[in-house]
Amino acid sequence: MLFSLVRVALLLRNLELLNTGIDNSPSWVLRSLWMGVRFDVDFVTKLMALPLLLLGIGNTLVPRFNRWFAIAAKWTAAIVISIALVLDISDIAFFEYCNSHLNALAISYLATDLGQAVTLVAEESNYLWLMVFEIVIAVLFTLFVLRLARHYRLHEADSALRLRTATYLIILCGLITFTSRGMTFQPRPLRSADAMISNNNFLNQLCVNPIKPFFETIFANEERAINLMDSVEAFDYACKAMERDNSFTHHSEAKDSPWRNVVIIAQEGNTAERLAREGNTQGLLPNLDRLIGEGRYYENTYASSTHTCYGIYALVTSLPPYLHLHPLKDGVQHNLGTAYDQLYARGEMKTLFFITHRPDFDNMNGFIPMQGFEELISEEDYAFKTDKTWGVDDHIMFDRALQEIDKAHSDGDAVAAILLTCSNHKPFNAPAVEGFTPKSIDAEERAIEYADWAMNRFIEMAKEREWFDETLFVITADHGRPISADYIMNESIFHIPLLFYSPKHIAPEVRSDLVAQVDITPTAFSMLGKEFDNRTMGIDITTEEREYAVTTSVGHLSCRSKRWLYAYNPETGAEYLYDLEAEGEDRLVNVAHEHRDTVAKMHRHAIATIQAGWDIHNTSQTNNEK
């Protein structure tokens, strides 16, 4: 009952997600809730097996020590179920931000910086109340179990209790067989894939009891490796697909260019779905909407994954994401011979990376300098001090970037800089600053407006510099934001803006080329006319065409072409194929069974790309040494 109430709470808090998909009638909702009950009963039955087994041992085999077995049984029941309920309620907050259930990455963040996680909860009242509710439920349930233990005299080893316990254990054995099959007589136990009951992504996720797959991802995360296919086979496939030789090297020759500098602005969680050109009428990104009309905009650009660490990894290394693994921490940590590293090592460019928050978050201070960045400028480097969770406000970081680029210009140095904003991140706390007048009263919308304002303020101030006309500005995002529930891997969290901006040298243009986040750095340095060796999965989109873009979340990987979107869950084997050219609701229907050849082709490309990328990441030599 308690697990079902949590599921209903998740449904009521996210009705807008239900309504953005198809198969969302009341009958579908009831089917989803019933499937959820089936998963819950299976889960709870298994959780109760251990305490009942302890009672059985104490009552029937060693009655002399029954008291101790009874104590162990009641506290096991209380603690195990209470922890499961706490995690289930916590899943609500995680789901609402990531559009996916709890996974191993959440634990990774907690283990890395528990203080940061607690601060996030404390500053977000919505989450704070959930945390209070979790504690209350856990305490009440524990008291309830202890009261039941007294009522049924579990500590007494009399014959009546032994008989009752033995009866319960026999019933439990039968129940486990029955409930593991979803309280039906189907020939196999319930699987996560059984939750895929409709073409409505939100209802499918609503079916699942998130605790079981949560622990499954943790156990999977213990293996810090990717084993999707044979490494040699994956590398051979990647070489052929990208028309590379066995060194996997594409050499970019030096050429004339109007630009000396490149500045990449990676905006936190800025989905392209909020742009007016995508049909959004809220008007939250007026400045980016205007700048798009003044530069070369790629309307079909997709982020590598759903979290900042993956976006930064893709921008810096041009390698793909790795499902449940943290690319800035996991695997062999060494110099990957990035384009930034090559140009910095040759003394051709000053390489700078700007963040607003602490340098140790996501292992930024360990990974970024290792990849050829001369300086990582973070919260502790700004004159302006703050107690905000995510450090200084965006405009403070932008002002420091202007100072650093001014200094490099006066010293005669060319600059390659990445600027990662963070104001558009929970807990939303847009500053009151001169020149910024938000239209919205909603905290999240004000944060989006502020991030857009701060970015534009930086561009306008840069226009007054001598170095403006010789600088290529790239405006993009680390990932999008889950504002819809369309496919099993949410479209809006992957669809990001990509604008190449230099009014003197780039004519306004909107291009429909398929672009992956890994393409941004190779393209930018090619446009700068720099010589470098590209041993990555990224291409120069000004001279090459991409057939597929690969993305992942913790539980799924996907492969996209201009027509098709394929998604795959390696744990369950569930596959999805959506026709992006279909009209209306047909666009949201899984047609995997009708197009098996397309599924097979895109599946192979996705797993080979991710496997080969992981193996490149973990090579024992740096790319400079090869």
Side-chain angles (χ1 to χ4, degrees):
M1 182 184 69
L2 287 172
F3 282 114
S4 293
L5 288 175
V6 175
R7 180 174 289 102
V8 171
L10 179 62
L11 170 64
L12 295 177
R13 287 169 60 100
N14 295 276
L15 287 175
E16 71 280 1
L17 295 181
L18 170 67
N19 295 328
T20 58
I22 60 175
D23 296 347
N24 57 2
S25 65
S27 62
W28 279 111
V29 173
L30 290 175
R31 288 178 64 181
S32 174
L33 294 175
W34 170 241
M35 179 60 76
V37 169
R38 295 172 63 189
F39 275 103
D40 290 344
V41 173
D42 173 38
F43 178 66
V44 172
T45 303
K46 289 181 171 64
L47 288 185
M48 290 304 299
L50 179 58
L52 283 176
L53 181 62
L54 290 171
L55 280 178
I57 293 173
N59 274 274
T60 59
L61 299 182
V62 285
R64 179 180 177 184
F65 299 101
N66 177 64
R67 173 180 175 80
W68 299 108
F69 277 94
I71 292 173
K74 69 181 182 182
W75 280 107
T76 298
I79 293 172
V80 168
I81 299 287
S82 293
I83 290 174
L85 285 167
V86 165
L87 289 172
D88 199 31
I89 298 170
S90 299
D91 176 71
I92 294 178
F94 189 85
F95 182 91
E96 289 176 353
Y97 189 78
C98 298
N99 199 42
S100 64
H101 289 300
L102 274 172
N103 53 55
L105 195 61
I107 295 298
S108 175
Y109 278 119
L110 285 174
T112 301
D113 197 336
L114 180 61
Q116 182 94 353
V118 171
T119 301
L120 279 173
V121 172
E123 291 190 5
E124 187 73 27
S125 59
N126 195 16
Y127 296 165
L128 187 60
W129 282 112
L130 279 175
M131 186 173 71
V132 171
F133 185 63
E134 292 167 4
I135 296 171
V136 171
I137 289 294
V139 171
L140 290 178
F141 186 82
T142 300
L143 293 175
F144 174 68
V145 170
L146 297 181
R147 183 183 180 112
L148 285 178
R150 287 195 301 272
H151 178 76
Y152 287 104
R153 308 189 314 277
L154 296 189
H155 298 78
E156 301 175 14
D158 58 27
S159 58
L161 182 59
R162 283 197 293 272
L163 177 61
R164 188 163 66 239
T165 302
T167 302
Y168 288 161
L169 284 171
I170 293 170
I171 294 173
L172 177 68
C173 291
L175 276 177
I176 287 179
T177 302
F178 185 58
T179 59
S180 67
R181 286 162 171 73
M183 294 182 290
T184 67
F185 293 100
Q186 65 185 37
R188 56 167 178 77
L190 274 177
R191 300 178 302 188
S192 296
D194 292 326
M196 306 300 112
I197 63 171
S198 71
N199 288 298
N200 190 296
N201 176 36
F202 177 57
L203 284 183
N204 291 342
Q205 294 195 73
L206 194 67
C207 294
V208 177
N209 182 306
I211 312 307
K212 182 173 179 286
F214 169 64
F215 282 106
E216 286 174 350
T217 65
I218 289 179
F219 294 141
N221 204 37
E222 291 300 313
E223 184 181 5
R224 301 282 175 171
I226 297 292
N227 295 297
L228 295 172
M229 67 182 296
D230 177 73
S231 292
V232 174
E233 184 181 354
F235 186 75
D236 287 344
Y237 176 93
C239 289
K240 292 175 183 177
M242 301 194 70
E243 298 181 350
R244 307 271 182 88
D245 60 21
N246 287 336
S247 70
F248 204 65
T249 302
H250 174 79
H251 182 73
S252 184
E253 297 286 353
K255 59 187 177 184
D256 292 335
S257 170
W259 301 291
R260 294 185 71 239
N261 312 307
V262 60
V263 174
I264 299 175
I265 301 172
Q267 293 185 296
E268 161 63 35
N270 194 22
T271 176
E273 305 291 322
R274 293 199 187 277
L275 290 167
R277 63 168 294 101
E278 295 291 337
N280 191 290
T281 59
Q282 292 178 289
L284 300 178
L285 302 172
N287 296 298
L288 183 53
D289 275 319
R290 187 193 74 257
L291 291 175
I292 285 173
E294 302 173 4
R296 184 188 302 152
Y297 181 70
Y298 289 85
E299 62 181 357
N300 290 318
T301 302
Y302 294 89
S304 290
S305 193
T306 57
H307 295 280
T308 299
C309 61
Y310 298 108
I312 294 307
Y313 181 78
L315 283 173
V316 171
T317 70
S318 296
L319 291 172
Y322 304 115
L323 293 167
H324 59 282
L325 300 181
H326 193 304
L328 308 188
K329 300 177 183 177
D330 294 329
V332 179
Q333 296 296 294
H334 61 102
N335 182 300
L336 294 170
T338 67
Y340 299 93
D341 181 67
Q342 293 177 51
L343 294 168
Y344 171 61
R346 296 202 303 261
E348 295 183 26
M349 301 193 82
K350 185 178 181 66
T351 51
L352 305 172
F353 201 111
F354 296 85
I355 58 177
T356 64
H357 50 74
R358 287 167 33 198
D360 57 340
F361 186 77
D362 263 343
N363 192 38
M364 298 281 276
N365 58 350
F367 186 83
I368 296 301
M370 195 181 295
Q371 306 312 320
F373 283 88
E374 182 178 353
E375 291 185 57
L376 172 65
I377 298 169
S378 61
E379 180 180 349
E380 59 194 26
D381 299 311
Y382 299 102
F384 185 88
K385 301 305 177 184
T386 180
D387 58 358
K388 288 187 176 181
T389 303
W390 296 113
V392 301
D393 297 310
D394 290 351
H395 72 279
I396 301 295
M397 179 191 71
F398 282 129
D399 287 347
R400 176 61 181 271
L402 288 170
Q403 294 173 14
E404 293 294 332
I405 301 173
D406 284 344
K407 183 177 182 301
H409 179 73
S410 65
D411 292 340
D413 295 328
V415 172
I418 296 179
L419 286 64
L420 175 64
T421 72
C422 210
S423 292
N424 185 18
H425 193 297
K426 289 185 178 181
F428 304 113
N429 191 3
V433 58
E434 184 179 355
F436 171 57
T437 307
K439 299 183 306 179
S440 308
I441 59 173
D442 178 78
E444 179 178 2
E445 293 180 356
R446 285 202 309 272
I448 295 169
E449 289 186 82
Y450 166 72
D452 183 65
W453 172 85
M455 177 274 299
N456 184 67
R457 175 179 174 273
F458 170 73
I459 295 294
E460 292 301 316
M461 294 176 72
K463 287 180 179 178
E464 302 172 1
R465 267 60 178 185
E466 292 181 355
W467 46 263
F468 178 76
D469 287 337
E470 59 183 16
T471 300
L472 174 64
F473 293 88
V474 184
I475 302 173
T476 185
D478 56 348
H479 54 79
R481 183 67 56 82
I483 61 174
S484 62
D486 31 37
Y487 306 119
I488 191 64
M489 294 181 70
N490 188 284
E491 186 83 339
S492 62
I493 203 170
F494 294 103
H495 191 193
I496 59 174
L498 176 59
L499 173 66
F500 289 89
Y501 183 77
S502 179
K504 185 176 179 179
H505 306 293
I506 298 179
E509 179 185 16
V510 175
R511 296 192 60 90
S512 60
D513 310 55
L514 181 63
V515 181
Q517 198 172 36
V518 295
D519 301 330
I520 295 175
T521 286
T523 301
F525 282 116
S526 178
M527 292 174 69
L528 258 66
K530 296 298 183 182
E531 180 183 3
F532 66 98
D533 287 331
N534 179 6
R535 298 186 181 93
T536 73
M537 299 293 183
I539 64 172
D540 173 10
I541 56 177
T542 65
T543 60
E544 302 174 79
E545 185 175 350
R546 175 172 289 283
E547 183 180 9
Y548 297 121
V550 176
T551 60
T552 76
S553 66
V554 172
H556 292 83
L557 59 86
S558 76
C559 184
R560 169 187 290 275
S561 67
K562 285 190 174 181
R563 177 178 177 182
W564 301 103
L565 174 61
Y566 166 76
Y568 169 65
N569 184 325
E571 295 296 323
T572 66
E575 292 182 303
Y576 313 82
L577 185 70
Y578 303 100
D579 187 349
L580 302 177
E581 294 182 356
E583 297 294 332
E585 293 186 346
D586 288 343
R587 184 182 172 99
L588 303 178
V589 175
N590 180 10
V591 295
H593 292 295
E594 291 93 331
H595 300 275
R596 296 312 304 174
D597 288 346
T598 300
V599 166
K601 185 177 180 182
M602 298 182 82
H603 174 85
R604 181 172 176 80
H605 182 87
I607 64 173
T609 297
I610 295 172
Q611 186 66 58
W614 177 248
D615 295 331
I616 291 171
H617 174 107
N618 289 285
T619 185
S620 59
Q621 293 178 301
T622 69
N623 286 332
N624 285 336
E625 293 172 333
K626 286 187 176 181

